[in-house]
Amino acid sequence: MALLEVTNVKKSFKGLTVFKDLSLNVNKGEIVGLIGPNGAGKTTLFNLITGFHKPDQGSITFEGQAITGLQPHLICKKGIVRTFQIVKPFPKLTIFKNIRIGAYKLVTDKKIAEQKANEVIRALDFEGEKHMLPSQLTIGGLKKLEFARALATYPRLLLMDETMAGLNPTEQDAMIDMIKKINYAGITIFIIEHHMKVIMSLSHRVIVLNDERKIAEGTPQEVSRNEEVLKAYLGDSRAC
Amino acid sequence: MSDFFIILIQAIVSGLLMGGIYALAAVGLTLIFGVMKIINFAHGSFMMLGMYTSYWLFVWFGLHPYYSLVISFIVLFILGGLIQRFLISRIEHTEAQNVLLLTLGLSLALDNLVAFLWTADYRTIKPTTFSGTAFIGEIMVSVPKLMAFVLSLLLTVGLYLFLKKTDTGKSIRAIADDIEGSHSVGINIRRISLICFGIGSGVIGVAGSMITPFFPVSPSVGSVFVMTAFIVVVLGGLGSFWGALLGGLVIGLAESIEATYHPGAMQQFVTYIIFILTLLFRPTGFFGGKSA
Amino acid sequence: MRNVLTLNHRILAKIVAFFLLVVFLVLPVANPVYLHILIMALLYAYLGSCWNILSGYTGQFSFGHTLFFGVGAYVSTILFVKLGISPWLGMWLGALLSMVISLFIGFLCFRYGLKGPFFALATLAFAEMFRIGANNLDITNKASGILIPMTGTSITTFQFHEKGVYYGIIIVFNVIIILITFFIQRSRLGDYFEAIREDEEAAQSLGIDTFKYKLVALAISAFLTALGGTFYAQYSLYLDPHICFGVGNSIEILIRPILGGIGTILGPVIGALCLAPVSEFAREVLRGWSGAYLIIFGVILVVAILFLPDGIVGFVKKHFFQIKMEGEGR
Ligand SMILES: Nc1ncnc2c1ncn2[C@@H]1O[C@H](COP(=O)(O)OP(=O)(O)OP(=O)(O)O)[C@@H](O)[C@H]1O
Ligand SMILES: [Mg+2]
């Protein structure tokens, strides 16, 4: 049994079909990359998994339990947390408070929540910005905040939606290391990314979405040689 | 015809006529909401100003409100434009309730300023033309109300055509559909917002003028209409003209029937119940597209 | 630089302390008119603080908060006048009923995701329904309102000839609400409220049951607001539907925290203390005509929205202390 199982999911928005019949798995301990051209439905898949949208048909299970159509906060409680492609910081709260709110998912005690928040801040090298407001961060900093806040909930499955976009190469490398570390610590990772370098160096397995369906799946090497994938990406400059 | 039917038809006719007036009060609001996604709480006060414009022009110069409504339109267009340009545009990109609070403050200041200038008395005018009551069979029809009703239809059609046919109208619709996209096609959003707010305000000024022959003018008259206009807009689907018209008629009918069969001051209660039911079960209204 | 700043702090603290001493102790003793003004200012400081929990901290703007005030006032008054139940007891029953009503309204509104201006107008509509209801029901004595018979000073009937006693009571009310706000802000609950205000989707994604916590904020706010209603009833000894459920009172409740600074502990109190002299001045200058202060209120609301987005508290912090709005309540 896989950690996350998406089975025969169908989703459309007012006549626009995003998925006709999508099935995929994420196994415990994996880092799975999710790629596909713009508008392929990557973010929509995350929205379905985390309960922000409901699938028209099909089921989603996590650790063997059905989570289809549950409310987002309940799905978070089960151990799945996501970052947002379009960042959603709490603008009037400091970085520390932003992260502390994530930490409250597991603990009710304020002191412990602050400890957890501080651990995350230290691990991500965020101490310099701790008392800043989100408006004082660069886009890279905001992406990192998304990541930090999600991490503070101590998830079992972390869904990352283009967390690297906007980061400079040094920051990217640091983030890649960080992801590897938390994966090593037992957090399963499902990551959307347009940078092939990132996907190649991180993923154990890659899933490719296009044309309302999954068009390929396999190791990064297999996928990058797949005919259909190459065709789908032809002309999509962001993928190179 | 039996009494039962006469009473029922009378209630329906009165309700529809009143509903036309509610629709008239609501079209400007829905235009502004549809394009700018803001709720103008001072809408009722603008209507009150339109009423006073026609009132004074009648008292001073004997000008019939059906003529002075042009002046009301111009006065309110300018006032609305100024308010949009110098007040609302400064806070448009902050939290949505700020515009509501700002316009609430404006309406408070305007209503009480008018009360200060011209006292809180109720004032009425009695133009000699287009007045009185006509009978159709045994059904009474108030002539000025009928005029207001007809105008409300004309205005709705007019605004609809304006949006469909003219360049400015097309730009307004483009903005209503999608702000960012229209920016890239080179539409001057600031100018269009200003025009749109001006037209919305002007239209409510016209509505004020139209009801002056049969509705007493007072500084607080706006508050009678602002909630009803807002409810009509929600009922019809935010931003929809036909919805506003239909919503107005529904509210007018409901109130009239309630008043006929349960005399008392509870008619408005019915309006609020309809409002809350709409918000709960059909928040997009009759004609609404996406949910708010 | 540092020294200058601390010096400023000290001088400022002394000035403020002196000012507060004069305002709260010297003025009321000197002249009973000031005492009345202060009692009303503090009542609205209290009501503003109640509103602030829902609207300032949790970001759900209520335009109909007078509904909860009115329910509190009417319940304790009707119980007292008709059944002789002490307002001290009726006060809690009113608060409970107000809370139940608020949960019903909140359930309806939040379930459909009414937000921002729509929630605001929906609350206004509910308050209007109560006003129309109170205008037409026998139990509320319709539009004539209820005159509470003065039975002489007595603790059990919550009636005192000495205004000073009311003054003491409303000060206690304020101390309590400030403490409640303080503890909420410092707790997990406060974090949840602020997260909901700042970004509801992000809050959900981090495991916060936003529907539930919005209801919690609303219920707390409605409960406490109703207590203020009873105080008002016992102080003024007269109620009518317009005072209790009219739009005007909803505006009175929200204007002070907006002026003082929403989402701050002391904002409502500071807003109330700043507004009192202004509106009294307007009432004095434009004597004999009661709407003058409303023009001022309207202008203040406009100015506050345009130029004081974080209220007086935010303005002072930013310009005199170079402190950013955040950083408090860590
Ligand atoms: N809430 C929504 N309502 C209507 N259509 C939507 C909604 N969300 C997404 N879509 C549409 O669904 C399709 C898939 O969008 P999605 O955001 O999932 O793509 P994506 O793969 O994440 O793209 P990108 O690489 O640009 O992030 C797009 O055509 C988008 O316009
Ligand atoms: Mg995406």
Side-chain angles (χ1 to χ4, degrees):
Chain A
M1 181 187 69
L3 182 69
L4 176 77
E5 294 182 357
V6 175
T7 319
N8 306 120
V9 160
K10 177 171 176 272
K11 178 72 191 172
S12 53
F13 294 110
K14 293 223 167 104
L16 170 84
T17 308
V18 187
F19 307 122
K20 260 200 204 107
D21 181 12
L22 181 72
S23 299
L24 52 83
N25 290 336
V26 175
N27 298 310
K28 201 166 163 45
E30 266 187 319
I31 300 181
V32 178
L34 181 64
I35 61 173
N38 292 125
K42 305 180 292 297
T43 301
T44 303
L45 177 61
F46 276 16
N47 280 331
L48 291 172
I49 296 171
T50 50
F52 283 92
H53 293 321
K54 290 190 190 359
D56 304 336
Q57 276 168 28
S59 74
I60 302 170
T61 62
F62 181 65
E63 295 179 328
Q65 285 178 313
I67 56 165
T68 330
L70 281 189
Q71 285 177 309
H73 69 96
L74 292 176
I75 290 178
C76 174
K77 289 264 161 64
K78 299 228 182 251
I80 305 179
V81 74
R82 55 96 59 96
T83 69
F84 290 94
Q85 180 177 0
I86 297 162
V87 291
K88 285 179 166 294
F90 301 124
K92 283 192 181 157
L93 310 182
T94 58
I95 305 308
F96 178 62
K97 231 171 153 175
N98 264 273
I99 297 172
R100 186 175 75 196
I101 289 170
Y104 272 129
K105 191 209 115 193
L106 277 186
V107 298
T108 49
D109 186 89
K110 187 175 177 188
K111 284 226 175 59
I112 305 178
E114 299 200 327
Q115 260 172 28
K116 301 263 177 213
N118 278 323
E119 280 169 25
V120 171
I121 286 173
R122 222 171 299 125
L124 290 185
D125 199 15
F126 228 165
E127 270 137 337
E129 290 90 346
K130 188 171 163 182
H131 297 301
M132 287 187 182
L133 291 175
S135 56
Q136 294 165 287
L137 298 181
T138 59
I139 181 67
L142 289 170
K143 295 268 179 181
K144 204 159 101 177
L145 177 59
E146 281 284 324
F147 182 58
R149 220 169 46 177
L151 214 52
T153 68
Y154 284 72
R156 284 197 288 286
L157 172 63
L158 176 58
L159 309 181
M160 300 177 65
D161 197 344
E162 299 202 25
T163 316
M164 307 279 182
L167 268 62
N168 65 37
T170 340
E171 289 172 327
Q172 271 182 21
D173 289 342
M175 184 73 94
I176 290 175
D177 278 348
M178 190 63 219
I179 293 172
K180 281 182 176 158
K181 248 188 250 164
I182 62 166
N183 178 246
Y184 189 72
I187 298 178
T188 307
I189 293 183
F190 197 10
I191 179 170
I192 298 176
E193 207 50 70
H194 273 292
H195 293 275
M196 275 308 177
K197 185 192 97 188
V198 175
I199 289 291
M200 289 298 182
S201 61
L202 265 179
S203 318
H204 304 145
R205 195 153 60 86
V206 178
I207 294 171
V208 191
L209 294 182
N210 192 26
D211 277 345
E212 308 170 2
R213 65 200 173 89
K214 178 172 83 181
I215 57 169
E217 176 172 4
T219 64
Q221 287 70 28
E222 286 165 5
V223 164
S224 63
R225 282 192 301 267
N226 183 304
E227 287 278 320
E228 208 174 346
V229 175
L230 291 174
K231 216 165 66 195
Y233 268 89
L234 226 61
D236 189 335
S237 56
R238 274 224 277 163
C240 306
Chain B
M1 226 174 3
S2 75
D3 278 358
F4 175 80
F5 278 111
I6 293 178
I7 292 173
L8 183 66
I9 292 172
Q10 182 68 58
I12 290 174
V13 169
S14 310
L16 287 178
L17 290 184
M18 200 58 208
I21 292 151
Y22 290 152
L24 198 57
V27 270
L29 196 64
T30 207
L31 175 71
I32 292 172
F33 184 88
V35 177
M36 299 165 71
K37 305 287 176 280
I38 58 173
I39 295 170
N40 175 18
F41 204 86
H43 198 68
S45 305
F46 287 4
M47 183 166 185
M48 177 268 299
L49 291 178
M51 291 179 80
Y52 271 100
T53 306
S54 279
Y55 173 83
W56 287 118
L57 288 172
F58 182 81
V59 171
W60 292 334
F61 306 111
L63 201 60
H64 195 287
Y66 296 159
Y67 298 122
S68 61
L69 60 81
V70 179
I71 299 172
S72 283
F73 182 88
I74 296 170
V75 169
L76 270 299
F77 182 94
I78 293 172
L79 182 73
L82 290 175
I83 287 172
Q84 201 284 328
R85 174 71 185 74
F86 292 105
L87 302 178
I88 292 174
S89 66
R90 303 174 69 129
I91 53 158
E92 249 177 318
H93 302 291
T94 61
E95 288 93 344
Q97 61 267 10
N98 280 349
V99 174
L100 195 64
L101 285 166
L102 181 110
T103 48
L104 171 70
L106 270 177
S107 81
L108 211 56
L110 285 174
D111 290 1
N112 289 287
L113 189 67
V114 167
F116 179 62
L117 292 175
W118 299 319
T119 74
D121 296 346
Y122 285 81
R123 296 155 185 266
T124 48
I125 51 175
K126 292 262 168 287
T128 45
T129 46
F130 298 109
S131 62
T133 314
F135 278 88
I136 302 170
E138 288 174 71
I139 307 296
M140 278 192 300
V141 180
S142 146
V143 175
K145 281 190 184 173
L146 186 65
M147 292 291 291
F149 180 82
V150 171
L151 185 90
S152 134
L153 291 179
L154 288 178
L155 216 65
T156 310
V157 174
L159 275 176
Y160 178 76
L161 289 178
F162 168 74
L163 289 184
K164 267 260 143 74
K165 303 284 178 207
T166 65
D167 281 350
T168 311
K170 282 177 191 159
S171 305
I172 289 180
R173 278 195 309 153
I175 294 180
D177 287 345
D178 150 35
I179 295 250
E180 267 142 54
S182 50
H183 200 56
S184 56
V185 221
I187 295 173
N188 185 342
I189 293 184
R190 278 179 65 177
R191 199 183 123 247
I192 295 294
S193 296
L194 198 130
I195 291 177
C196 168
F197 203 88
I199 292 178
S201 308
V203 167
I204 190 69
V206 172
S209 293
M210 284 303 295
I211 67 168
T212 317
F214 60 89
F215 208 94
V217 189
S218 77
S220 59
V221 66
S223 57
V224 179
F225 283 97
V226 68
M227 270 314 276
T228 310
F230 175 72
I231 291 170
V232 165
V233 167
V234 169
L235 198 57
L238 294 150
S240 157
F241 292 120
W242 304 113
L245 191 61
L246 190 60
L249 297 181
V250 168
I251 296 286
L253 268 182
E255 285 191 6
S256 164
I257 287 173
E258 165 68 22
T260 307
Y261 293 99
H262 298 114
M266 295 292 272
Q267 326 159 13
Q268 268 186 306
F269 202 74
V270 177
T271 312
Y272 287 109
I273 287 184
I274 294 178
F275 172 59
I276 285 159
L277 290 178
T278 315
L279 280 181
L280 297 178
F281 298 109
R282 197 161 163 70
T284 54
F286 300 144
F287 282 73
K290 275 171 266 171
S291 91
Chain C
M1 194 58 209
R2 220 194 137 78
N3 275 338
V4 177
L5 211 68
T6 38
L7 194 67
N8 271 341
H9 266 128
R10 274 195 198 146
I11 293 176
L12 202 86
K14 275 184 192 153
I15 294 172
V16 168
F18 177 73
F19 174 76
L20 290 180
L21 200 75
V22 172
V23 167
F24 284 115
L25 289 178
V26 181
L27 285 182
V29 176
N31 186 338
V33 172
Y34 291 127
L35 185 58
H36 170 70
I37 294 172
L38 256 182
I39 291 173
M40 291 311 281
L42 286 176
L43 170 62
Y44 280 94
Y46 170 81
L47 295 171
S49 298
C50 300
W51 178 88
N52 192 33
I53 292 173
L54 173 69
S55 305
Y57 280 96
T58 320
Q60 311 301 308
F61 265 70
S62 162
F63 268 36
H65 232 56
T66 194
L67 163 55
F68 308 122
F69 170 89
V71 168
Y74 268 109
V75 168
S76 66
T77 300
I78 291 170
L79 289 177
F80 177 58
V81 174
K82 303 236 151 130
L83 303 174
I85 295 174
S86 164
W88 288 111
L89 182 63
M91 178 162 118
W92 301 104
L93 297 175
L96 273 179
L97 182 65
S98 166
M99 190 172 85
V100 170
I101 292 170
S102 80
L103 286 173
F104 175 72
I105 293 174
F107 178 79
L108 292 180
C109 292
F110 296 143
R111 194 170 54 130
Y112 276 83
L114 291 188
K115 283 194 189 118
F118 296 95
F119 176 71
L121 289 163
T123 54
L124 179 53
F126 277 106
E128 282 292 289
M129 284 178 76
F130 273 73
R131 188 178 63 78
I132 298 166
N135 256 328
N136 289 283
L137 292 176
D138 288 327
I139 191 163
T140 52
N141 202 20
K142 303 198 169 154
S144 340
I146 303 177
L147 203 62
I148 303 176
M150 181 77 192
T151 51
T153 295
S154 155
I155 295 203
T156 48
T157 59
F158 202 143
Q159 290 184 352
F160 312 96
H161 280 295
E162 276 297 322
K163 279 205 168 131
V165 183
Y166 290 106
Y167 184 50
I169 293 174
I170 199 64
I171 287 180
V172 172
F173 268 48
N174 271 277
V175 170
I176 291 174
I177 191 78
I178 288 171
L179 286 176
I180 291 176
T181 313
F182 178 76
F183 282 115
I184 288 178
Q185 171 158 329
R186 304 247 320 179
S187 70
R188 183 168 66 113
L189 195 61
D191 267 17
Y192 283 4
F193 286 174
E194 292 194 277
I196 291 170
R197 177 190 68 203
E198 296 292 303
D199 194 315
E200 212 174 316
E201 283 196 348
Q204 284 177 328
S205 81
L206 296 172
I208 299 174
D209 186 347
T210 55
F211 177 72
K212 173 175 144 193
Y213 285 100
K214 284 195 280 189
L215 284 183
V216 170
L218 179 58
I220 294 174
S221 182
F223 186 92
L224 296 169
T225 305
L227 300 180
T230 300
F231 175 87
Y232 175 81
Q234 293 307 119
Y235 176 65
S236 73
L237 299 178
Y238 174 69
L239 292 182
D240 72 25
H242 177 73
I243 296 173
C244 285
F245 296 118
V247 186
N249 200 43
S250 284
I251 298 173
E252 295 259 9
I253 293 174
L254 61 78
I255 189 170
R256 290 166 180 86
I258 286 176
L259 179 63
I262 61 171
T264 61
I265 296 172
L266 289 179
V269 181
I270 291 171
L273 292 181
C274 293
L275 200 61
V278 178
S279 62
E280 284 315 313
F281 177 77
R283 269 182 247 237
E284 272 304 301
V285 171
L286 300 157
R287 211 172 250 284
W289 175 62
S290 58
Y293 76 103
L294 288 173
I295 302 183
I296 310 272
F297 271 29
V299 172
I300 285 176
L301 202 49
V302 171
V303 169
I305 296 292
L306 286 178
F307 302 108
L308 295 172
D310 295 310
I312 294 171
V313 171
F315 182 83
V316 169
K317 271 187 187 162
K318 196 166 145 203
H319 292 273
F320 295 95
F321 295 93
Q322 271 101 45
I323 301 172
K324 278 164 250 97
M325 260 312 274
E326 235 316 284
E328 71 167 351
R330 286 213 320 269

